[in-house]
Amino acid sequence: MDWQSNGKDGIPEAMSSLTKLLSILEYFEVGNAFLTAEEIVSRLGCSRPQGYRYIKELCSSGLLTRFSGAYSLGPRIIELDFVIRSADPLLQLARPVIHDLASRVSCDVTLVKLFGDHLVAIHHEQNVQTPGITYSRGRPMPIFRGCAFKLVLAYLPTSRQKQFFERYPEAVQASTLGKTWEELRADLKKIRKSGYATSIGELDAGSVGIAAPVFESGPNMPPCALTLIVPGPRYETSNQQMLVEIVQDVASDISDRLNHFPEKAVS
């Protein structure tokens, strides 16, 4: 494949092909976990032979697998997930602290991270006293809903905040944040100044979320959101400010551990 030949918009043809190939993985989601070859080719908008070649390559690498005439994500994804769980410095440092927090307050705790426009829990510490949580590890969260999204959005550069505002107008109008750009900016500034965000029943009815930022050491990286999920009735009878301070203290502890994590440990 010629890396110097140009495709659309001046993008090297080989890079364009790689992007198309990898974009197939984005078509698989909850409620749409199996796709036929025809469905994949149709979404790609490429020729049938080219689409089938992409599918074959992904199957050969284990990223896709064939099942009953359709395709689903393959076992290589599971292997990669194991590598992440085993070697990610953020998870290595955060898991024991999060486990301690969940045990101490008898609530579920999630650690949420932004990938592109997707906000996903990368770790979920479950507690038997907390009702079922819909958005556990790996399931993308809705845009402009929940304390984790509000918190992460508040720490993004203004230009990135405006991109979200302009790209998802319906989600903005349905949210509890400001409906105009000026109102939204004002709300986000308040969240950033306070250092935490809350949401009541926005992701799961009857649950309250409290999120505080965890700062990774990389430059210009948005923070993760450490989120405590509290049953609504318990939240109403608790010392709410104390809960906020507990989450903030633990988030700060994880941030400090990350900043002092030796580089040689990940080399």
Side-chain angles (χ1 to χ4, degrees):
M1 198 172 284
D2 182 6
W3 286 87
Q4 300 302 317
S5 61
N6 288 332
K8 294 181 180 179
D9 302 320
I11 300 173
E13 189 64 37
M15 184 63 71
S16 177
S17 296
L18 177 61
T19 301
K20 283 186 177 181
L21 183 147
L22 293 177
S23 70
I24 293 174
L25 302 177
E26 298 180 7
Y27 302 157
F28 297 88
E29 55 191 359
V30 176
N32 201 31
F34 294 90
L35 295 171
T36 65
E38 289 72 19
E39 288 173 325
I40 293 172
V41 172
S42 175
R43 293 196 184 193
L44 279 174
C46 65
S47 68
R48 187 182 180 91
Q50 187 179 40
Y52 273 82
R53 186 169 69 250
Y54 290 157
I55 293 171
K56 182 179 179 181
E57 290 178 5
L58 289 174
C59 286
S60 296
S61 67
L63 294 173
L64 287 186
T65 188
R66 185 178 174 86
F67 179 79
S68 189
Y71 295 88
S72 64
L73 295 178
R76 180 59 180 155
I77 302 291
I78 300 172
E79 290 181 347
L80 294 174
D81 181 62
F82 177 77
V83 172
I84 292 173
R85 290 175 184 260
S86 303
D88 183 351
L90 173 59
L91 291 179
Q92 286 185 38
L93 295 174
R95 269 192 303 240
V97 184
I98 292 175
H99 176 76
D100 178 70
L101 172 61
S103 300
R104 182 155 41 111
V105 297
S106 299
C107 290
D108 276 31
V109 182
T110 59
L111 184 62
V112 182
K113 191 168 185 176
L114 183 69
F115 301 92
D117 284 6
H118 298 279
L119 196 72
V120 179
I122 61 173
H123 183 64
H124 179 194
E125 194 74 32
Q126 294 178 295
N127 188 280
V128 294
Q129 298 186 39
T130 308
I133 304 302
T134 303
Y135 296 94
S136 57
R137 175 180 161 88
R139 184 175 185 182
M141 297 178 175
I143 300 296
F144 283 96
R145 282 170 53 192
C147 59
F149 182 84
K150 295 177 187 178
L151 181 89
V152 173
L153 187 64
Y155 282 87
L156 292 179
T158 303
S159 59
R160 187 80 171 96
Q161 293 173 344
K162 195 164 188 179
Q163 285 179 354
F164 273 105
F165 174 78
E166 294 175 344
R167 194 172 296 166
Y168 303 101
E170 293 182 1
V172 172
Q173 296 304 311
S175 75
T176 58
L177 294 169
K179 311 308 179 191
T180 67
W181 169 240
E182 292 73 19
E183 291 171 346
L184 176 64
R185 280 287 293 139
D187 286 345
L188 295 178
K189 286 181 179 179
K190 290 178 183 177
I191 291 173
R192 184 160 181 163
K193 183 177 180 180
S194 67
Y196 73 95
T198 59
S199 61
I200 300 176
E202 292 184 29
L203 296 182
D204 292 296
S207 292
V208 176
I210 305 170
V214 171
F215 297 100
E216 297 189 72
S217 56
N220 303 318
M221 294 182 66
C224 298
L226 179 70
T227 307
L228 182 68
I229 304 166
V230 187
R234 180 179 166 191
Y235 179 78
E236 292 297 329
T237 58
S238 297
N239 183 330
Q240 297 170 10
Q241 185 57 38
M242 183 183 70
L243 290 176
V244 168
E245 291 173 359
I246 289 173
V247 178
Q248 288 180 313
D249 287 345
V250 174
S252 179
D253 181 21
I254 297 173
S255 298
D256 289 342
R257 291 171 184 241
L258 284 168
N259 289 329
H260 292 91
F261 192 75
E263 291 185 5
K264 64 181 180 180
V266 294
S267 61

